[in-house]
């Protein structure tokens, strides 16, 4: 599928004055302003309940799936206003991978890859479908492992393989950005290392924003890091600078293990 959005600069996503409120009297995300660089991994860190996942889900407008959540501000994807776009089109451009591997249990491996097409009412012919399945599974290093088992259920796979299948499912529509909400927290160290290596490869083709509690992971794989505290973006910048010389005391306390 051709991507309709034209790349124009080094930052792919501009977030301006973004607020998210679950209740009328409290902002869970408060006036966030940040630029997300293209074809890099950006990590979002902070203690539990600080708004990391809330910010992440606002980017592809997942909050609109639930009543009563208020989102305001501006998000520009290569200059295109995500807030004024059809949410379905937004989610084609901004894919999502969740904390626990969640292949659709009644679907085959191949159907899991194609789920985004089916949910969007898109019906490629058999040859196109086969090409999409192979391309997507190859992109996550899974093709050789499952090419003879494409009709088996996705739940047949190991946890690490299931998460790679979910990443393949997110990549199938060729989005500009992939959002990842602690994608390795349910995996063992070997599977985690496999996913981290995969993400460093994938950033050549897609921008990745990852929420992680794992500070070592953020430092290993991201080029830019955001630190959030009580719903506010406290500090952001190059990952190595943020780790070696944090400018805000809350960031320093978190990285040293005193809060979190």
């Amino acid at each position: 599928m051709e991507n309709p959005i034209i790349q124009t600069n080094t930052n792919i996503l501009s977030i301006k004055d973004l607020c998210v409120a679950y209740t009328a009297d409290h902002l869970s995300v408060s006036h966030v302003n940040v630029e997300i660089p293209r074809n890099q991994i950006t990590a979002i860190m902070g203690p539990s309940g600080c708004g990391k996942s809330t910010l992440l889900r606002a980017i592809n407008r997942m909050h609109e799936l639930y009543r009563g959540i208020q989102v305001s501000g501006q998000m520009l994807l290569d200059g295109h206003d995500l807030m004024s776009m059809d949410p379905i089109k937004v989610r084609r451009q901004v894919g999502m991978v969740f904390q626990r591997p969640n292949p659709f249990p009644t679907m085959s491996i191949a159907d899991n890859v194609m789920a985004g097409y089916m949910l969007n009412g898109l019906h490629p012919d058999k040859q196109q479908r086969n090409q999409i399945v192979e391309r997507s599974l190859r992109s996550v290093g899974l093709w050789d492992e499952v090419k003879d088992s494409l009709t088996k259920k996705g739940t047949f796979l190991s946890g690490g393989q299931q998460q790679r299948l979910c990443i393949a499912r997110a990549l199938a529509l060729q989005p500009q950005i992939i959002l990842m909400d602690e994608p390795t927290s349910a995996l063992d160290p070997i599977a985690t290392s496999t996913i981290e290596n995969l993400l460093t490869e994938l950033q050549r083709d897609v921008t990745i924003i990852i929420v992680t509690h794992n500070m070592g992971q953020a430092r290993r794989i991201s080029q830019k890091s955001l630190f959030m505290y009580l719903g506010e973006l406290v500090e952001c910048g190059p990952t190595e600078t943020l780790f070696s010389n944090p400018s805000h005391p809350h960031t320093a306390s978190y990285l040293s293990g005193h809060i979190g």
Side-chain angles (χ1 to χ4, degrees), residues 58-250:
I59 295 172
N60 75 340
R61 295 175 60 186
M62 283 193 65
H63 294 306
E64 294 181 29
L65 299 174
Y66 307 93
R67 295 179 61 184
I69 302 176
Q70 299 296 316
V71 181
S72 63
Q74 188 178 54
M75 294 183 291
L76 300 176
L77 179 62
D78 273 331
H80 295 253
D81 183 4
L82 293 183
M83 301 290 279
S84 66
M85 289 173 61
D86 182 336
I88 300 299
K89 292 182 179 179
V90 171
R91 294 176 199 130
R92 291 180 193 171
Q93 296 296 328
V94 185
M96 186 86 180
V97 176
F98 296 94
Q99 184 172 3
R100 291 188 174 276
N102 62 340
F104 297 119
T106 62
M107 289 186 180
S108 68
I109 292 171
D111 284 345
N112 261 280
V113 175
M114 296 301 297
Y117 285 83
M118 291 183 276
L119 291 171
N120 281 278
L122 304 172
H123 304 286
D125 62 32
K126 183 177 181 180
Q127 181 179 1
Q128 291 173 320
R129 171 190 164 88
N130 291 342
Q131 290 172 345
I132 292 165
V133 169
E134 181 173 349
R135 181 196 72 221
S136 302
L137 292 173
R138 283 191 183 279
S139 71
V140 298
L142 200 54
W143 174 251
D144 289 336
E145 298 172 37
V146 303
K147 62 183 179 182
D148 297 322
S149 306
L150 294 176
T151 58
K152 291 186 177 181
K153 299 291 191 288
T155 50
F156 150 81
L157 303 172
S158 70
Q161 289 175 318
Q162 286 185 33
Q163 193 65 305
R164 281 190 284 156
L165 175 60
C166 293
I167 297 171
R169 184 175 67 197
L171 290 171
L173 284 166
Q174 296 184 288
Q176 294 255 56
I177 296 174
I178 293 288
L179 309 175
M180 297 189 163
D181 195 353
E182 297 194 65
T184 63
S185 64
L187 304 180
D188 62 47
I190 293 175
T192 294
S193 179
T194 299
I195 296 293
E196 288 183 3
N197 291 335
L198 169 63
L199 299 186
T200 60
E201 292 292 322
L202 287 176
Q203 67 181 313
R204 294 179 299 181
D205 301 311
V206 66
T207 298
I208 297 169
I209 306 174
I210 180 171
V211 163
T212 180
H213 271 108
N214 186 330
M215 291 181 281
Q217 179 175 79
R219 195 167 192 174
R220 284 191 297 272
I221 69 172
S222 70
Q223 292 81 37
K224 184 172 184 173
S225 287
L226 284 57
F227 176 72
M228 296 189 68
Y229 188 74
L230 298 179
E232 296 184 357
L233 177 57
V234 170
E235 184 171 354
C236 68
T239 296
E240 195 53 44
T241 300
L242 189 139
F243 273 87
S244 62
N245 189 28
S247 63
H248 196 285
H250 287 331

